[in-house]
Every structure is written in C-alpha cells, then in structure tokens.
Amino acid sequence: MSPNTTPNAPKNNPAAPASEAAGEHKVSNFLRQIIEKDLEQGTYASRHWAGTPGDAAHHAAGPLDPAKIRTRFPPEPNGYLHVGHAKSICLNFGLARDYGGVCHMRFDDTNPEKEDTEYVNSILDAVQWLGFGWEANGQNHLFQASDYFDFMYRAAEYLVQSGHAYVDEQTAEQMRANRGDFGKPGVDSPFRSRTPAENLARFREMRDGRHEDGSMVLRAKIDMASPNINLRDPAIYRIRRATHHNTGDKWCIYPMYTFAHPIEDALEQITHSICTLEFEDQRPFYDWLMERLIEGHLLAAPAPRQYEFARLNLTYVITSKRKLAQLVYDHKVSGWDDPRMPTIVGLRRRGYTPASIQLFAERIGVTKSDSWIDYSTLEGCLREDLENKAHRGMAVLDPVKLVLTNWAEAFGADDYTEDCTLPALPHSAVPEGQTPPPDRVFKIGKEVWIEREDFEEVPPKGYKRLYPPRPGADGQMQPGNIVRLKGGYVIECTGCAKDVNGTVLEVHAKVIPDTKSGTPGADSVKAKAAITWVGVADGVEAEVRLYDRLFSDPQPDAGGKDFIEALNPNSLKVVTAYVEPSLAAAQPDQKFQFERFGYFVADRVDHVAGVKPVFNRVTGLKDSWGK
Ligand code: ATP
Ligand code: MG
C-alpha cells in the first residue's frame, strides 16, 4: 500500500447523507455538542496543518489548517469491516462533513502482524461504498501508522531522557504481580530508579537487537499507586522480532497500541479522536502522553482529545473480526461476503444499500452507555430506503401450475397469450411532478405459476384464495372461489389434479373473460382476493436464496458463549422460483420488491441477467401478507 499516491481518490464525503435524502434532521448528541462548543470557543482555530502528518516544527511551518476539525477512522487491517465499523465510519466521516472538517483514513498497522493487502483493499472499498472518501482541500488523507515509527522511537527516547520512562527487566509474571489490583497499589520495579542515561543505553540496546524478545520492556514512569491501573507505569515498547509489511526488518522493537495511538492522532493534527468505551480507562494516559510530548516541543498544541462512545451491539449478530474470521475459515459461511455475514461486503451482497446503513447509523445515534440494538432497526432502514426506489415485480417462490381449462373457449386458442401491465412503482412512490418509470409488461396464457399455498382443497376458515367447489351447509354444491390474478383476469377455481400421494400437481380454474385489470369490465365480477403469479409463457426460472438470521440466539457470543453453537441451521433455504421478465432482466445488485414477499437483490456474484437469475432475500415486508 502506498498512501498519498492513490489516483482519483474519492472526495471527502461526496454522497448526500441518507438522512437528508430521507428528509430527517440530524439529532444532536454529546459529540456534536462537544464539537459545536469547540468551534464556538475557537479551541482549534489557530492550529496549523503542514499538509502532511508531522511533529510540532513541521506543522508550525505550515499554514492555518483549512479543516475546522479533524477526525479519523483507524482500522487495523486484519480483517473485513463489519456493521460496527460502519457505525464508526458514518460517525467520523459524518461529523467531519457536517462541521467543515476532514476525516482521515488511517491504517493502524503498528502491530507487526502480517498485513494482508486483501484486507487493506477491502477496507478502502467498504469506506468508499458507504459513500465516504479521504480527499479534501486538494489533499489525500490516507495514512498508515507504521510511517510514524521513527517519530514514535524519538518520542520514546525523549521520555527516557526526561525521566519519564525506564527499561524494566522484570519477568512478565513479576510485572503482573507487582502491578497490584483495584484494592492494592502496585510495587515499584527494582529497575524503576535507573538513571536516564542507563535507561537510554538499555533502550538503544533493545532497538539494536541486543536482547531477547520479551526480556525487557520500556515503561512510562507515572505512578504505581494510581487508582487507574493503566497509569501504573504502562509498557510502551516491547521487543518483538517480526517482519513488518511496511518497515520490513528495520525494527525489532514495536510501540504498544496505547502509546502509538495518541501519537498517530497528534501527528495528524486530529482534534476529536473518537473511540469505543473500552478505551475510557486509557484516556488519562492519552492525556499524560500528550502533555509530556507537547512540553518537550515534539508535538504541536493543542493536543487531540479522546472521546468514547458505546460500540454497536446488534442482536443476532457478532461484531468481532476474529470471530467472523472463524466463521469463514471453518466454512460455516461461504466467505466474508456471504449474505448472512454482518461484514460490509456481506451486507452489500445481501442487498443493503449505503443509504440504508447511513440512515441506520444516524438513527441509532451515539451514546455513552452500552446497549443492544434490535436487528429489525437495520431492516427497517432498508425498507425505508427502498420503499420508493425498488421496482415491484412478481415472483412465485413455491410454484404449482394453474391451468385455465376454458382458455381456448374464451380466447380462441390454447397458445393464445396476452400482455398484462402493472406499474413498476406504486403511484404513491412517485414524487409529484416526476414521470413514473415505464410499466412492467408480462404475459398471461392458459398456464401460469401460482404459489402452492394459494390453493387449498379444503380451505381453513376465512381462507380467501383458491379452493374448489364444495358442499355448503345446506348440502348444496357451492361454486369454487373467485380470485384475481393480479394485473390479469378474474378466475374461478374448479378443482385440481393430484398424484397418488395426494400432492397437488395442477390447480384448475376457469378464466372469466372481460374482467382484465384496467379494462371497463374489471369490477364486473367481485374477487375475494388477488394473488401473485407468473406466466408459464414468459416466466423465467430463478434461484432464490431465502436468508434468515445466521444465529438463533439474540446475543450469540455474550458472556463468553460458544457462538458456533448458536448458528441457525435454517439460515439459508434455496428455492427454484419463477420470476416475471422484468426481474429476470435485472442487473447484478439491482434491488426489487417482490410483491407480497419483501425486498430482494440480484446477486452481485452469481446472477446473470436473462440467463441465470439469482436473487437474495434482503428482508421481508413489515406487514405479513394478507391471510
Ligand atoms: P474487532 O474487534 O472486530 O477487530 P476492533 O475495534 O478491534 O474490532 P479496529 O479495526 O481496531 O477493530 O476498529 C476500527 C474502528 O472501528 C475503531 O475506532 C473502533 O472503535 C471502531 N469499531 C469497531 N467495532 C465497533 C463497533 N461494534 N461499534 C462501533 N465502532 C466500532
Ligand atoms: Mg482492534
């Protein structure tokens, strides 16, 4: 990866936010209040920005920062991003957009784990797909933390020389034991009183590879009795012989995350460093480190400030890259982009739109206390986004053939077909003054596919769909039920054909001529219900993947539970369906509302328009279809 050289990097936040599209006003939250106060007070008004990250002198030589605030999204490139990251992306990029700021895209790659370019690329794709970018003010704000290793080392030497850090040679067990706990203050390390000169020599030996991995660490010298255990001389550098994807074998010592992250923020002139609540206890160290490095004139003032918000917990979903990786590597799902995965690539393939995810992030808001968000909130946002956008279409998911036995008698020939039309969008979905999209056209003929459940030989009470003639209470035969084939004719059920096991092979009915939808005779015969159907003449066979929740447990990994146990065995059902021609012609990724069933998307990987239609169910309709 080479940050700052990406050609045509997208502009910072080019897309209009979904909430605006949905006409929703931004709800204030504690972060917005903090930023508004900072802007009002001019907290960051006199900051300089040299155009690239750097130390105090670097920025001092640059102009005033054109960005009113700077935020950042700092993933570790060790997996695919998930819906929790989407919350953080929408938050950080969204705040920068709303307040005249810039959001940096930063890879937090200080851990010398093998970085995978597959992850790097997928992360950049995910952020862009969600509608955000890192180019602003003619500059490209894509950074990687490992570029700051030299500065981090310099900062560590400064702490050593100024008496704020020491090399500790206790074993890991001794260090743990001497750290104390909530009720017990820590015990000073016997190495704590070394002179800065001794510490500097030792630290340089560490850097020069003169000591074994794990034999010693550099610790900040703060307070072994602090009630905040994170301030009891936290480790800031460790020895680790590992080849780093960016710096190769240049280093055998690496900074700890708690030391690296504040420095990354400061070098990038971040103003509001927003992270999840588990970092709250680290904030005092963040501030301590910033004060030391500013007083040493290494970093520019004012320092970035850390603010914590509650991470997203979504029911029936796990949001841990490590656990998601396990699902992939154990083949519990088909890959990172399996439509059941809460990864951004999974949500995308499932049919979620960037606007629906932005709307979701806006709606759940940011708070300072943990809670669980119901999965249906996300589904609701998708419905809201697609309601007026997704074209309607008919699909038969559990097909049985309906034969209109009097077809030739009514229309002259068995092979006669007739065009039917229905609007692609209901009238209410088309904004005033806009031309509606062209109607869908599909054929009705002697044979059509209907849903198996739309015929009952012995109808349950209140059943309004197809059932054959049967004796009434008075013993007299009552005629079969009358329904409308949606957009087509009214028909009267006459019976069915069954196999030896009693399975219905065909449903039989009579077409009632002159009742076609949209013609003057349409209302001449009262139909009890309208049913969806697809013509045998022009219907196209399609694979439809009916996805359900991946887990049966609303909190699959809470309290250390084995989430593999909670996998829902019925999370995918594949059916062979028939779809009307307008659906079969879909482009990959195109979304539809299958009438009565919900929202579906043409699979972006497997669907081939007209040839091999493949659809994924995104979510059902809010209201279950009429009984
Ligand atoms: P994971 O445990 O899945 O690896 P992480 O927090 O370690 O998640 P990072 O790559 O370090 O992953 O995260 C990048 C950013 O995304 C961080 O600022 C982090 O706070 C944020 N983030 C991660 N998970 C969530 C979540 N569930 N809700 C909100 N923000 C999240
Ligand atoms: Mg992490």
Side-chain angles (χ1 to χ4, degrees), residues 138-178:
Q139 291 166 358
N140 185 5
H141 303 90
L142 172 61
F143 303 118
Q144 57 185 345
S146 57
D147 284 341
Y148 312 144
F149 279 157
D150 286 334
F151 180 88
M152 288 173 190
Y153 179 80
R154 193 179 128 210
E157 279 210 351
Y158 167 76
L159 291 182
V160 170
Q161 285 167 317
S162 56
H164 293 304
Y166 63 99
V167 172
D168 194 352
E169 293 176 46
Q170 293 183 100
T171 63
E173 294 79 71
Q174 287 168 332
M175 255 184 262
R176 204 170 305 124
N178 288 339

Side-chain angles (χ1 to χ4, degrees), residues 72-78 80-89 92 108 123 257 261 274-276 278-279 309-313 319-322 324:
R72 84 284 173 270
F73 174 63
E76 233 179 297
N78 61 351
Y80 279 70
L81 299 185
H82 51 64
V83 64
H85 295 112
K87 173 177 179 180
S88 178
I89 293 168
N92 281 295
D108 206 326
I123 288 171
Y257 179 84
H261 201 86
I274 300 164
C275 63
T276 42
E278 61 272 26
F279 292 99
F309 71 102
R311 61 188 288 118
L312 169 66
N313 296 309
T319 47
S320 147
K321 284 191 228 126
R322 186 180 56 77
L324 294 175

Side-chain angles (χ1 to χ4, degrees), residues 69-112:
I69 61 166
R70 287 186 186 266
T71 56
R72 84 284 173 270
F73 174 63
E76 233 179 297
N78 61 351
Y80 279 70
L81 299 185
H82 51 64
V83 64
H85 295 112
K87 173 177 179 180
S88 178
I89 293 168
C90 293
L91 181 62
N92 281 295
F93 283 92
L95 289 172
R97 171 196 59 211
D98 294 348
Y99 291 103
V102 172
C103 180
H104 295 191
M105 175 72 223
R106 178 201 305 155
F107 284 105
D108 206 326
D109 61 351
T110 51
N111 214 343

Side-chain angles (χ1 to χ4, degrees), residues 179-354:
R179 188 171 297 127
D181 55 36
F182 285 110
K184 195 170 96 196
V187 176
D188 282 5
S189 162
F191 301 96
R192 200 176 196 264
S193 51
R194 275 176 163 164
T195 64
E198 277 175 295
N199 280 317
L200 188 62
R202 265 312 207 214
F203 186 45
R204 288 183 174 169
E205 286 173 20
M206 281 172 65
R207 177 198 60 188
D208 295 340
R210 306 259 307 274
H211 298 284
E212 292 298 306
D213 283 20
S215 59
M216 53 188 70
V217 293
L218 184 70
R219 296 177 76 173
K221 191 172 180 177
I222 309 178
D223 178 5
M224 286 305 290
S226 171
N228 181 340
I229 292 177
N230 295 290
L231 289 181
R232 295 185 188 171
D233 295 5
I236 59 179
Y237 256 99
R238 64 194 161 135
I239 307 173
R240 175 115 191 261
R241 284 170 178 76
T243 305
H244 190 279
H245 75 98
N246 183 25
T247 54
D249 292 323
K250 179 176 175 190
W251 299 96
C252 66
I253 56 170
Y254 288 96
M256 304 299 284
Y257 179 84
T258 45
F259 176 73
H261 201 86
I263 292 179
E264 294 160 25
D265 286 342
L267 293 173
E268 292 181 20
Q269 291 282 72
I270 300 301
T271 54
H272 300 81
S273 177
I274 300 164
C275 63
T276 42
L277 282 177
E278 61 272 26
F279 292 99
E280 192 171 1
D281 290 346
Q282 300 285 358
R283 185 170 7 104
F285 178 69
Y286 188 111
D287 293 340
W288 178 91
L289 182 62
M290 292 293 100
E291 279 166 37
R292 297 292 81 71
L293 298 179
I294 287 172
E295 78 196 8
H297 305 291
L298 273 80
L299 291 175
R305 296 285 304 267
Q306 174 182 303
Y307 302 96
E308 308 87 18
F309 71 102
R311 61 188 288 118
L312 169 66
N313 296 309
L314 194 58
T315 57
Y316 298 99
V317 162
I318 53 176
T319 47
S320 147
K321 284 191 228 126
R322 186 180 56 77
K323 291 176 187 169
L324 294 175
Q326 191 182 334
L327 293 175
V328 174
Y329 296 126
D330 291 353
H331 303 287
K332 303 293 184 202
V333 293
S334 66
W336 288 102
D337 70 344
D338 186 300
R340 292 165 295 182
M341 288 283 272
T343 49
I344 296 180
V345 281
L347 293 168
R348 178 180 185 181
R349 189 165 172 196
R350 177 71 170 265
Y352 280 92
T353 57

Side-chain angles (χ1 to χ4, degrees), residues 368-423:
K368 280 191 98 39
S369 57
D370 273 316
S371 66
W372 283 78
I373 303 290
D374 203 273
Y375 192 80
S376 61
T377 309
L378 178 60
E379 294 177 319
C381 292
L382 191 270
R383 288 190 201 102
E384 217 169 297
D385 181 36
L386 290 188
E387 163 120 53
N388 293 345
K389 288 185 194 151
H391 287 188
R392 283 18 177 201
M394 286 196 285
V396 175
L397 302 187
D398 183 16
V400 65
K401 197 177 274 181
L402 168 77
V403 182
L404 299 169
T405 52
N406 65 335
W407 189 259
E409 197 184 309
F411 297 112
D414 274 340
D415 62 357
Y416 171 80
T417 60
E418 200 174 286
D419 281 349
C420 301
T421 58
L422 278 175

